[in-house]
Amino acid sequence: MADLHGKKIILGISGSIAAYKSAFLTRLLVKAGASVRVLMTPAAAQFISPLTLSTLSKNPVYSDVQSEAGWNNHVELGLWADAMIIAPATANTLARLAGGICDNMLSAVYLSARCPVFFAPAMDVDMWHHPATQENLRKLRTYGNEIIPVEHGELASGLVGEGRMAEPETIVAFLTEQFLRRQDLAGKKVLITAGPTYEAIDPVRFIGNRSSGKMGIAIAEEAASRGARVTLVLGPSALRAKHPGIDTIHVESAREMYVRATAQFPECDIAVLSAAVADYRPVKVADQKLKKEDGTPKLELERTPDIAAALGEMKQAGQRIIGFALETNNETANARKKLEKKNFDLIVLNSLRDAGAGFQHDTNKISILSQDNKTRHFELKTKAEVAKDIINTLLPIL
């Protein structure tokens, strides 16, 4: 039996014939020990009575953000909940929330929510497969939301195919599993490096790379959501981690990242080295901006500190290191060589030859190589989903 004892759940209902299932879902959540607050769009109230849901949840049902109750509660609810489930989530609601449109109580609470959000879509088969719907689902995943898979079967239109909302029992089981999974790093301290490094030429110019830090931040968010205490050493990036359990240390150069990472690592259980660290830096840094009239500068370069090698040498029994390899040729051979040389436990391989992978994308396509000479290949996914794959691969060797 599902155990959600003490969990605070928001159930958002949009206008679909599948809304009738929300009564069963509410009952199952309450039976599992959860405290449930129900939100409805105006269209949802045409399919199921708010009185029914209020009675089953033992709490008022909110539907009008412009009412006094709605206005006073939309932010509070977003902070109150341990999870928000939107079931059924229509194509219209998916589009609205993917676009950040805030014109009803459900969308106002969604935009205020700091908790994990789960969508259980419901629509006809052609609507489900339409590129616009699939793009909206992709966007929602990049925001860190979870999509509960639709089911295949007879639809309200009489057609048969994908688009049926998952059954209430399936939704409750999915949610329960997510809560259990989100504690599997409890008590672990995780060090993550992310983003590029900038190596100064003069006060204006630098040597850098195209890394945005998206992948490392996604891993930090995933680890923190699963109970870990996370230290994120982040190079120059416009992005920021949002989870309150992440302590971010901002650095600029490879030297600064080296100092911070080596200082933090002895107290950590896990290190994930996803930063794109510059391999070289200028030997001399000009005090003033170099001028064109001074001629073409000649830069003498030297190696930057090897953070991965340093942590590999420092690694003690029980510590785990995940490295990253971004390759353009002989990908697997180069990654396995790096895995062994740097004393990694796992290495995550990207190839710039894979469309949608690498720097500055919202997606990534990876393979994970391990010390037992095995390689796991993954499809192109959002970086939030890739972060889950990385953590899930790590867990068995902790």
Side-chain angles (χ1 to χ4, degrees), residues 131-211:
T133 299
Q134 293 303 309
E135 175 63 14
N136 288 330
L137 290 166
R138 186 197 67 78
K139 281 186 180 180
L140 291 168
R141 288 190 183 99
T142 67
Y143 302 159
N145 304 147
E146 297 273 359
I147 309 298
I148 301 173
V150 296
E151 297 183 356
H152 183 282
E154 185 176 356
L155 304 168
S157 65
L159 297 175
V160 175
E162 292 183 316
R164 285 171 59 96
M165 187 180 95
E167 293 302 317
E169 296 85 355
T170 302
I171 294 173
V172 173
F174 187 96
L175 185 64
T176 303
E177 191 275 334
Q178 296 299 310
F179 274 121
L180 290 173
R181 181 175 63 81
R182 288 177 182 276
Q183 295 305 308
D184 52 19
L185 288 180
K188 300 294 184 183
K189 187 170 182 181
V190 181
L191 168 68
I192 298 172
T193 65
T197 65
Y198 289 173
E199 311 303 324
I201 296 172
D202 62 21
V204 176
R205 303 175 182 88
F206 60 84
I207 299 172
N209 57 60
R210 302 180 190 278
S211 174

Side-chain angles (χ1 to χ4, degrees), residues 27 66 76 120 122 126 128 135-136 145-146 154 168 183 248 255 277 322 349 357 375 392:
R27 177 62 183 143
Q66 295 181 357
E76 182 221 340
D126 296 309
W128 171 252
E135 175 63 14
N136 288 330
N145 304 147
E146 297 273 359
E154 185 176 356
Q183 295 305 308
T248 302
R255 168 62 65 180
V277 183
I322 301 176
L349 170 63
T375 302
N392 289 340

